[in-house]
Amino acid sequence: MNIVIGYDAHANSKAAVVFGARLARALHSQIRVVHVVDFGDLPFDPDEPDYEVETDQHLEEHRRVVAELLGRDADDWTYTTARGETAQVLTSEAQSCGATMIVVGRPHHGLGAMLDHSLSGAVFKGLTNRGNCPVLIVPEGWESQPVPGEGLAA
């Protein structure tokens, strides 16, 4: 069994990684974190001589954050980056690995998010319209809530 988790640098996304990992581990599932590269991952000026180096460093920083959240030495997760439309990439990943579900953070708010959503469509809407895999949306701050079944005798 696999659980695909969409990741970006926002707090809601980090909450999704932590919640999705806890759920996957409770279900004895593999964790597949996918970071879809967007404009926020790219340096401002593509003509800079270090453009590719800066992009790679930025993407590696995302991987380090995920490793800290999931445990660097844990062997139950993989991390990958991809380019494309987020919902399509996550749906394709879920289909390719036979995922039980896709976990994402609650949509971002604010002017930047509104512009992004108007250009590419909301990720969660795209996931529910495209895929045949359940989608779980995790809000920022869920950590204050107990995870169902956690701490209970099996």
Side-chain angles (χ1 to χ4, degrees), residues 17-112:
V17 169
V18 174
F19 184 88
R22 288 173 74 182
L23 180 62
R25 288 171 174 154
L27 297 172
H28 306 290
S29 296
Q30 289 293 305
I31 303 160
R32 297 175 70 117
V33 179
V34 179
H35 174 79
V36 181
V37 178
D38 63 19
F39 290 115
D41 295 317
L42 306 174
F44 184 70
D45 184 2
D47 294 327
E48 286 183 29
D50 293 338
Y51 181 82
E52 292 296 326
V53 172
E54 287 182 38
T55 300
D56 291 344
Q57 289 172 341
H58 188 76
L59 294 176
E60 181 55 30
E61 179 58 26
H62 283 308
R63 188 186 192 304
R64 282 193 291 273
V65 169
V66 169
E68 289 296 319
L69 293 171
L70 298 179
R72 292 186 182 282
D73 298 328
D75 63 356
D76 61 348
W77 65 273
T78 60
Y79 177 88
T80 189
T81 59
R83 294 178 190 263
E85 194 271 315
T86 303
Q88 184 177 13
V89 169
L90 294 175
T91 299
S92 294
E93 179 68 21
Q95 289 173 344
S96 72
C97 72
T100 305
M101 74 176 58
I102 299 171
V103 179
V104 294
R106 184 177 61 202
H108 315 292
H109 300 285
L111 183 59

Side-chain angles (χ1 to χ4, degrees), residues 111-128:
L111 183 59
M114 187 170 53
L115 178 60
D116 183 47
H117 289 219
S118 68
L119 294 174
S120 64
V123 172
F124 71 95
K125 187 174 183 180
L127 289 170
T128 57

